[in-house]
Amino acid sequence: MKAKLFSFAGAVFAIAGGLRAGTVELQPKESAPPTITQSEPWQFTIAAPGWMAGLDGTIGVRGVNADIDVGFDQILQHLDMIFAMRAEAQKGPFGIYGEVIYIGLSDNAQINRLINNINEEVNETLVDGALSWRLVNQPRGSLDLAAGTHYTNIYERLELHSDPVAIQQASIRFVNNIADDLRSRLDQDISNRPDIPIGPLGGRIREEIAQRVEQFIELKKAELRVRVDALVERGVARREAVQRVVNSAKARIANQLAVRLNKRLSQTLSRDDYWFDPYVGLRGRYNFNKVFYTAVRGEIGGGVASDLMWEVEGVIGINLTRSIFTEIGYRALAVDYDNDGLLFDTTMHGPQITTGITF
């Protein structure tokens, strides 16, 4: 009987202990709310945008401006290299965005005049970096506020190759014209200074070359006038003396002029301009279903280096798999930059096809 009582008492204590243990486990534990780092994993996206952009607007160097309208088909004919990469990282509402686009172009032209041929190289680099914060996050769509900086670098290299034979012939004709004009004016009044107009020699450096040629000719005319004055003072026949002096100086002046022109027309010119444009913008996305979606973004900035910078993009996207996607859309980037002798008021725009992976 006692053994049964002890067994019953032990069973009661065991059940009571089990109930107390269960009561302790059911009590809620107080804990801090999860942070972004704890609640959301990082999500990364790497994509390659294929932007088939043309360029139109106004480009100028040192006050010499040109209106351009170059389609993508023309750019493609002179394309040496193109590289484009976009990367994004998202963790909860916080995001990081970066993009690099490099375009290398080159062209040459056969002139067959004083300048025999021209080789030109233009490289453009666009770098975009931004931080974003998700304002709206719904299963169907999202809206982000972005702020960042747009970097633009334009490098231009121009090689001029002169034609020594054409320059020598042009120099002789040029000096002959000067000599004829000088003889005529000296016959009329040896004290009058002839004003020989110097025409443009073409190209981006025509004004600089014209100025140098004019200074050179003025110097030679002054030297020639001194010699003629000396002959007149000695009583030598004016016409015959002028003829001999001019003829003897013609070949020497033509050769010197040819050397100077050949040096100025055989050179390499280059510019390397870059600037930063801060901007703010919005980026939105709407999911039609699990496969199809649309996304848009718009940015506006400038006011620091350029007067104005804006960019818009709209795409239709397809999720090919859970991690691979492709997008088709249209994109435009406009910049109005005018500083340090460079005017770059242009708009790049055209269709864009992007393929990427998310992990």
Side-chain angles (χ1 to χ4, degrees):
M1 184 65 180
K2 290 183 179 180
K4 291 181 178 180
L5 289 175
F6 282 123
S7 298
F8 178 75
V12 170
F13 283 124
I15 293 173
L19 290 174
R20 286 197 301 270
T23 303
V24 172
E25 291 177 356
L26 291 175
Q27 290 178 353
K29 296 181 179 179
E30 294 183 359
S31 60
T35 63
I36 294 177
T37 304
Q38 295 172 339
S39 62
E40 296 287 346
W42 280 101
Q43 183 177 3
F44 299 95
T45 300
I46 298 177
W51 191 15
M52 295 169 285
L55 183 68
D56 61 70
T58 303
I59 298 178
V61 178
R62 297 196 300 269
V64 181
N65 301 333
D67 295 328
I68 61 171
D69 186 2
V70 182
F72 179 72
D73 56 339
Q74 295 175 277
I75 293 179
L76 197 61
Q77 296 175 9
H78 306 291
L79 185 65
D80 293 333
M81 178 181 177
I82 185 170
F83 173 82
M85 184 64 63
R86 175 185 296 177
E88 298 181 49
Q90 189 80 28
K91 187 174 182 63
F94 175 72
I96 304 174
Y97 172 89
E99 183 182 57
V100 177
I101 297 178
Y102 172 83
I103 302 174
L105 305 172
S106 65
D107 193 14
N108 59 77
Q110 193 69 30
I111 307 300
N112 293 328
R113 301 186 69 177
L114 298 184
I115 298 178
N116 185 36
N117 60 78
I118 298 174
N119 296 325
E120 186 173 13
E121 174 187 351
V122 178
N123 300 325
E124 183 173 7
T125 304
L126 305 174
V127 181
D128 191 359
L131 303 177
S132 65
W133 188 264
R134 184 145 295 174
L135 303 176
V136 178
N137 189 15
Q138 300 293 332
R140 280 283 189 175
S142 61
L143 179 65
D144 297 348
L145 173 66
T149 299
H150 191 90
Y151 168 80
T152 303
N153 174 256
I154 298 176
Y155 173 76
E156 183 177 7
R157 179 185 175 92
L158 183 68
E159 294 183 1
L160 304 177
H161 300 280
S162 65
D163 188 335
V165 175
I167 288 177
Q168 184 67 37
Q169 295 174 350
S171 299
I172 293 174
R173 291 194 302 269
F174 190 68
V175 172
N176 285 339
N177 293 336
I178 291 176
D180 294 338
D181 186 82
L182 181 62
R183 281 198 303 270
S184 174
R185 291 177 180 271
L186 285 174
D187 285 342
Q188 296 174 9
D189 186 355
I190 205 169
S191 64
N192 289 337
R193 292 175 54 86
D195 185 14
I196 307 300
I198 306 297
L201 299 181
R204 291 170 50 189
I205 57 173
R206 61 183 183 274
E207 295 179 359
E208 179 184 352
I209 292 177
Q211 184 179 10
R212 289 177 178 269
V213 170
E214 186 175 6
Q215 293 173 353
F216 173 75
I217 294 300
E218 288 294 336
L219 177 62
K220 294 303 177 181
K221 287 190 295 184
E223 295 176 358
L224 184 58
R225 187 175 293 105
V226 170
R227 297 183 62 185
V228 172
D229 288 341
L231 291 174
V232 174
E233 290 179 359
R234 291 200 301 266
V236 182
R238 186 195 325 179
R239 184 180 297 277
E240 296 177 359
V242 169
Q243 184 67 45
R244 289 195 302 269
V245 171
V246 169
N247 287 340
S248 64
K250 280 168 52 177
R252 183 178 68 255
I253 296 176
N255 290 334
Q256 293 175 349
L257 179 59
V259 170
R260 289 171 178 264
L261 286 176
N262 193 61
K263 181 179 179 180
R264 298 303 303 174
L265 294 177
S266 294
Q267 60 174 309
T268 299
L269 307 174
S270 65
R271 285 187 64 99
D272 191 7
D273 298 275
Y274 64 91
W275 62 91
F276 294 88
D277 289 315
Y279 68 83
V280 294
L282 293 173
R283 300 175 183 179
R285 172 173 171 144
Y286 180 78
N287 302 312
F288 298 111
N289 48 49
K290 293 183 178 180
V291 178
F292 296 97
Y293 65 90
T294 182
V296 296
R297 68 165 173 157
E299 301 161 357
I300 186 168
V304 178
S306 64
D307 295 332
L308 178 66
M309 185 279 297
W310 58 265
E311 184 173 16
V312 293
E313 179 182 357
V315 302
I316 295 292
I318 304 174
N319 292 315
L320 302 177
T321 67
R322 291 177 60 89
S323 58
I324 301 176
F325 66 91
T326 186
E327 297 175 346
I328 301 175
Y330 200 88
R331 181 178 180 181
L333 170 63
V335 178
D336 184 4
Y337 176 84
D338 187 0
N339 193 19
D340 195 24
L342 173 67
L343 172 64
F344 195 77
D345 184 6
T346 63
T347 302
M348 295 180 62
H349 58 93
Q352 178 173 275
I353 301 177
T354 304
T355 300
I357 182 171
T358 301
F359 56 95

